[in-house]
Amino acid sequence: MHLIIPTAYDPKLSVRQTQEAIRYIRETFQDEFGQQLNLSRVSAPMMVDRATGLNDNLNGIEAPVSFTMKDMPNKTMEIVHSLAKWKRNALGRFDFQPGEGLYTNMNAIRKDEDLDNFHSIYVDQWDWEKVITKEQRTLDTLQQTVKQIFKVIKHMEHEVWYKYPTAVHHLPDELHFVTTQELEDRWPDKTPMEREDLIAQELGCVFLMQIGGALKSGKRHDGRAPDYDDWSLNGDLIFWYEPLNCKLEISSMGIRVDEVAMAKQLKIAGAEDRLHLPFHQKIMNGELPYSIGGGIGQSRLCMLLLGKAHVGEVQASVWPQEMRAECAAHDIHIL
């Protein structure tokens, strides 16, 4: 458990006002985001059958919450970590065409999460996925999509300012693109997370690209599952967050693996055994559309736009009592 306490924190809004602002941000953002990217809202599961291979393996070390059902005792169900694979499968099932896509309200439990100001075991995000052609699996497609998302977030800043002028946290006006290798070249003696803080503080808002593969040093910047993002065409959208004097990641996204990238990345990860799973078979056999997709944190977006000190101010989750007590002592009202 790690907690940052800002100096002389002022929440600006009461708990009830904060709840009203949360509803406004979530409802307004998802409508504008869907329109901007041409996405339709769909319903999505909170759990999947382990045998399908549809759950997100994250860094490969986090264990999902799992259970068996009375009527299906021989199958193990897992609470989703995210819907990264499920969404691409759904694009094929629902016959989405190039330029069309879907988004959904994703609720997950990540029981092995390290709790801090930004991380909770409860994850709520807009998971989205969009069909592209093979020719669109390019850096330009990735960057243009990130620019669209940044534009919607900036528009939301103005919308929130109009309704809650004393509470809105002002965001930078420009978006910058940087690779993880460029960060290692510039700060070889820093850790990856220290590099993210440094570049975010310098530039205000960055899309940090190419996460998952080994850098020149032989080390990875950060872990990524090998079977959904193409590690050469992915990244994280990061803002410098003055209230806590550190970076805040809002979105992780990327162009998804094709059959070549998935086979290569599974081999690097030592996870070639997954190739027999139904989802992976569909990718290798060309049965699912090429796509780009990601997740945008709902609570984190609310936190960013309202300048909150703790994600627990904008979502109801479970926290250690000592964290709750320390937050309460500094006017940080955990829901």
Side-chain angles (χ1 to χ4, degrees):
M1 185 184 79
H2 177 66
L3 183 63
I4 302 171
I5 299 294
T7 302
Y9 176 63
D10 179 3
K12 303 284 177 53
L13 301 177
S14 69
V15 172
R16 286 185 61 180
Q17 289 173 324
T18 298
Q19 295 275 24
E20 293 170 0
I22 292 170
R23 179 192 62 79
Y24 175 74
I25 291 170
R26 292 187 183 214
E27 292 181 357
T28 306
F29 179 85
Q30 69 179 13
D31 288 343
E32 297 195 10
F33 171 65
Q35 291 174 7
Q36 183 72 20
L37 270 69
N38 194 30
L39 308 176
S40 302
R41 189 192 181 284
V42 302
S43 298
M46 189 174 181
M47 70 286 293
V48 293
D49 182 352
R50 175 181 291 171
T52 63
L54 286 175
N55 206 357
D56 183 350
N57 297 93
L58 300 177
N59 288 326
I61 58 174
E62 300 90 345
V65 176
S66 61
F67 61 94
T68 56
M69 298 167 54
K70 183 180 69 173
D71 291 337
M72 301 170 64
N74 296 322
K75 289 185 177 291
T76 300
M77 302 298 162
E78 294 180 346
I79 304 295
V80 296
H81 278 152
S82 85
L83 296 170
K85 300 171 192 171
W86 181 90
K87 294 175 297 180
R88 187 171 180 184
N89 197 60
L91 289 177
R93 284 180 57 210
F94 302 151
D95 197 31
F96 281 84
Q97 298 300 306
E100 300 176 339
L102 60 83
Y103 77 90
T104 188
N105 288 305
M106 191 281 298
N107 296 294
I109 299 175
R110 299 180 183 174
K111 69 180 184 63
D112 294 326
E113 195 72 78
D114 294 322
L115 303 183
D116 57 27
N117 297 68
F118 302 123
H119 293 90
S120 166
I121 66 164
Y122 170 58
V123 181
D124 54 345
Q125 64 185 31
W126 291 285
D127 253 331
W128 65 276
E129 200 82 9
K130 185 174 183 178
V131 180
I132 59 175
T133 65
K134 186 175 182 64
E135 293 71 28
Q136 290 175 309
R137 297 188 72 258
T138 64
L139 181 62
D140 183 66
T141 297
L142 176 65
Q143 293 186 343
Q144 290 303 318
T145 305
V146 176
K147 289 176 182 178
Q148 287 180 297
I149 294 172
F150 178 74
K151 178 181 177 182
V152 178
I153 293 174
K154 279 294 293 180
H155 185 249
M156 277 305 306
E157 174 198 349
H158 296 297
E159 294 288 321
V160 174
W161 176 83
Y162 183 76
K163 285 185 70 73
Y164 306 99
T166 63
V168 69
H169 172 63
H170 293 290
L171 307 179
D173 294 324
E174 293 187 35
L175 166 67
H176 304 265
F177 293 91
V178 182
T179 68
T180 53
Q181 187 58 61
E182 288 172 331
L183 292 194
E184 183 184 65
D185 291 343
R186 186 170 176 187
W187 294 295
D189 297 328
K190 300 293 185 181
T191 68
M193 295 306 102
E194 288 172 339
R195 294 170 196 154
E196 289 190 12
D197 275 336
L198 287 167
I199 198 66
Q201 185 175 24
E202 177 180 311
L203 299 179
C205 180
V206 296
F207 186 69
L208 182 61
M209 301 181 292
Q210 301 175 4
I211 301 174
L215 302 171
K216 292 178 183 177
S217 64
K219 299 178 181 179
R220 295 191 300 174
H221 178 84
D222 198 4
R224 283 295 187 276
D227 45 8
Y228 57 91
D229 276 355
D230 185 323
W231 292 343
S232 66
L233 291 167
N234 70 348
D236 291 344
L237 181 60
I238 298 170
F239 287 84
W240 177 248
Y241 194 54
E242 292 94 343
L244 296 178
N245 201 36
C246 63
K247 58 98 175 180
L248 171 55
E249 177 196 322
I250 286 294
S251 176
S252 178
M253 59 171 286
I255 290 175
R256 306 311 197 185
V257 290
D258 59 8
E259 59 278 12
V260 175
M262 187 164 76
K264 176 183 177 182
Q265 291 176 184
L266 285 173
K267 184 175 182 179
I268 292 172
E272 291 175 285
D273 58 306
R274 297 183 197 172
L275 284 171
H276 74 277
L277 295 170
F279 172 81
H280 300 70
Q281 282 289 302
K282 289 181 181 179
I283 297 296
M284 297 306 294
N285 295 332
E287 297 172 10
L288 291 179
Y290 298 108
S291 67
I292 182 173
I296 300 173
Q298 295 182 9
S299 291
R300 286 197 183 182
L301 181 64
C302 292
M303 186 180 177
L304 174 71
L305 292 173
L306 297 173
K308 295 297 186 180
H310 195 288
V311 69
E313 294 178 273
V314 292
Q315 68 159 226
S317 185
V318 179
W319 308 97
Q321 185 55 42
E322 57 268 33
M323 180 180 281
R324 284 183 169 273
E326 188 170 0
C327 285
H330 293 86
D331 215 17
I332 300 172
H333 305 299
I334 302 298
L335 299 181

